[in-house]
Amino acid sequence: MTRDLLADVRLGVPTVWTPPSRDDAAPPAPSLALADVHAADARLRRFAPFLAGAFDGPWYDGPRGVEEGVIDSPLTPIPAMRDALGLPHDLWLKRDDALPVSGSIKARGGIYEVLALAERIALESGWAGGDPERGDHRDFAGSELRDLLSGYTVAVGSTGNLGLSIGVMARTLGFRAVIHMSADARAWKKDMLRGLGAEVVEYGGDYGLAVATGRAQAEKDPRTHFVDDETSRELFLGYAVAGLRLVDQLEAADLLPSAAHPLHVHLPCGVGGGPGGIVHGLHLALRERGLDTTHLHCWYAEPVQAPCMLLALATGRGDDVDVQEFGLDGATLADGLAVGRASRLAWSATKNRVAGAYTVRDADLMDLLRRLDATEGLRLEPSALAGVAGPTALHEAGIDVGDARSPRSRHLAWATGGSLVPAAEMETYLRG
Ligand SMILES: Cc1ncc(COP(=O)(O)O)c(C=O)c1O
């Protein structure tokens, strides 16, 4: 089976991979425990008063009252899109396209890592932020801490959205920011970063080159912190917080996975940190509530030209396999997913828990982009549609995992970006 699947991958034909088995009971890596995810959530909430003042919303104000300054997004049904796609089951959208601050899933991990760094530097320099008598995280808006942080650099390699999240947050706190951008990154993302005073370094090659070069440069300077999309524990924990919080939203919407109503979560996947963190956090949070995670089915969604996580999983080789080995060039309109090699951290943390991975053609992403606009009035960037393609992909491949094609199942597509796309660029997507 794997041989046929890999032949399809080579040909750029949409394909679905499912694992021979899952091991939901396997304990998480000690450094990625539930307590670590809760600690990350608590840190983000400590920064909420600062964030609410540093940016003017729109802040999420949904079920269970996520407070102002907490970066989160609503969960909404998309029945008109479901009907247009002819699906027999519910279809929901997790609106990370509308996340405050940087309008994509990368706001979660990226902003978290920069905030964690800022807190660490401040505490090491004697800031008494933990002492309510003497200050709180609103102090980060003041000149004292900004001056301190301006002596440090935050660097990152990115296909665009991670760089945007890191650049916006780093500059807002006063850090110097150096963003190494791959060839796929959209011009408007680079322009926006330059407008914020970040330094943008452009590469002709792919994302892996941008990361490797940025990482090597940062190693030479002890006052430069490199946010490593392929290996960072902090990024991963920041994303995992989304899984933790999603459980509250699932409960409020009566979508918690059960034998009667299996839940399928479709996650656009680049290097894997964002979606992997969410898979990880969601599993831990459901288990914390005593719920059976075997009724949760998380899928990685990738472009046909850049299926790095599908290859990592299907070959069992993790980050030791590159899409180029399969004759693919990684070129896709889904710029956020244009990654040739998966994160070892994300692969190893989730390989025993995911339902599978599938690939989607660019033409289908663009068709879905237009249909979502026409049916629901929602405008996403191309990468963010990969998960919306999932239910149809599972139907067409005849997949029965978790009753995927049954009216009893529920499907949730993670909309990973879109609200910051300039209107003119969105018009070109919509016109085709
Ligand atoms: C819009 C969008 N969706 C999904 C992803 C995938 O996230 P990851 O690379 O962490 O897998 C990205 C990454 O940049 C993105 O920009």
Side-chain angles (χ1 to χ4, degrees), residues 254-307:
D254 198 18
L255 285 177
L256 284 173
S258 65
H261 297 294
L263 177 67
H264 293 257
V265 180
H266 300 272
L267 294 148
C269 182
V271 73
I278 290 168
V279 171
H280 183 72
L282 192 49
H283 271 260
L284 292 180
L286 289 173
R287 281 166 67 172
E288 185 183 28
R289 301 238 184 146
L291 294 167
D292 184 352
T293 53
T294 59
H295 305 305
L296 169 71
H297 303 278
C298 294
W299 299 91
Y300 289 126
E302 298 180 295
V304 287
Q305 284 298 323

Side-chain angles (χ1 to χ4, degrees), residues 185-211:
R186 312 296 301 167
W188 66 266
K189 294 180 184 172
K190 298 177 200 169
D191 293 344
M192 193 179 280
L193 280 166
R194 290 194 177 104
L196 291 162
E199 290 157 48
V200 177
V201 189
E202 299 183 58
Y203 294 83
D206 83 345
Y207 157 87
L209 179 69
V211 172

